[in-house]
Amino acid sequence: MRIGVFFGEGFEEVEALTTVDLLRRAGYDVETVSVSNTHHVMGAHGVEIKTDFYISEVSVSAMDMIVLPGGKGYKNLEKCPHLVKRIKKFDTEGKLIAAICAAPSILGRAGVLEGKKVTCFPGYENELYGGIHTGEEAVWDKNIITGRSAGCSVAFALKIIEAVSGKEEAMKMAESICYDHYK
């Protein structure tokens, strides 16, 4: 499973790094990708990370899944036309797309949420065009996985593991990190 986690300036560190960490622990090939022409991306709270690639160095179409962290950086993700184009293509192909916090609004504007249950950071519900907002910590419906906020990052990452490898694997990961809230 080849997963791309995309970073824009101002990304929410907890959402991005928790997801990368848990998905790598699960054994997936996780690539961190900057949407800028630099490997160094500054998070919303002053944590700078060095991504594995920037978007022009990697074949997004060869990936099996796209993950979009939220935070202020979601706007920078959406400003990347190549990424938005790939999101739409992934949806058409039924490939997995995951977004947390404000980032599900990117999916709403891309037109990929129609009739699907989703969640997002409070206040972004009106930007989930066609999506059915649940308010849950993390939701998986068809090929779309969404998470509510930084505080729901572990639940979000576990929902991705469930979508890829099944409920039992997600439960094993939850147990291995002593996370008692995964259902």
Side-chain angles (χ1 to χ4, degrees):
M1 170 62 63
R2 187 172 173 214
I3 300 172
V5 179
F6 290 81
F7 289 76
E9 280 294 309
F11 68 93
E12 169 50 59
E13 293 94 339
V14 171
E15 296 164 0
L17 299 177
T18 298
T19 302
V20 169
D21 179 87
L22 290 180
L23 298 182
R24 285 184 175 170
R25 287 178 193 225
Y28 307 135
D29 178 12
V30 179
E31 298 171 345
T32 56
V33 182
S34 167
V35 296
S36 306
N37 284 328
T38 177
H39 288 281
H40 296 272
V41 185
M42 185 64 69
H45 303 99
V47 177
E48 182 179 73
I49 67 139
K50 181 180 183 279
T51 61
D52 301 317
F53 301 100
Y54 44 86
I55 198 159
S56 62
E57 295 179 314
V58 68
S59 172
V60 179
S61 60
M63 294 178 176
D64 300 302
M65 180 179 197
I66 290 172
V67 178
L68 308 174
K72 296 180 282 187
Y74 88 95
K75 293 178 182 179
N76 293 318
L77 293 175
E78 194 165 23
K79 288 179 187 174
C80 179
H82 180 65
L83 178 59
V84 173
K85 179 181 174 183
R86 286 288 150 212
I87 288 167
K88 292 176 182 180
K89 183 132 175 75
F90 267 48
D91 187 59
T92 300
E93 296 170 350
K95 286 184 169 183
L96 291 170
I97 305 165
I100 186 169
C101 193
S105 66
I106 298 169
L107 306 183
R109 285 186 288 280
V112 302
L113 298 181
E114 189 65 41
K116 296 171 184 165
K117 292 179 184 172
V118 293
T119 193
C120 66
F121 192 80
Y124 287 84
E125 298 88 352
N126 292 335
E127 298 179 44
L128 303 174
Y129 304 107
I132 303 160
H133 182 258
T134 68
E136 295 174 57
E137 286 190 348
V139 179
W140 168 34
D141 192 355
K142 298 180 179 72
N143 65 316
I144 303 292
I145 302 154
T146 52
R148 188 172 65 211
S149 65
C152 304
S153 296
V154 171
F156 174 69
L158 291 171
K159 193 61 74 173
I160 292 170
I161 294 168
E162 180 181 340
V164 173
S165 299
K167 183 81 168 183
E168 186 176 319
E169 289 304 311
M171 295 296 285
K172 284 180 189 175
M173 180 63 70
E175 184 178 319
S176 76
I177 62 168
C178 298
Y179 184 76
D180 300 329
H181 306 291
Y182 193 71
K183 300 171 184 147

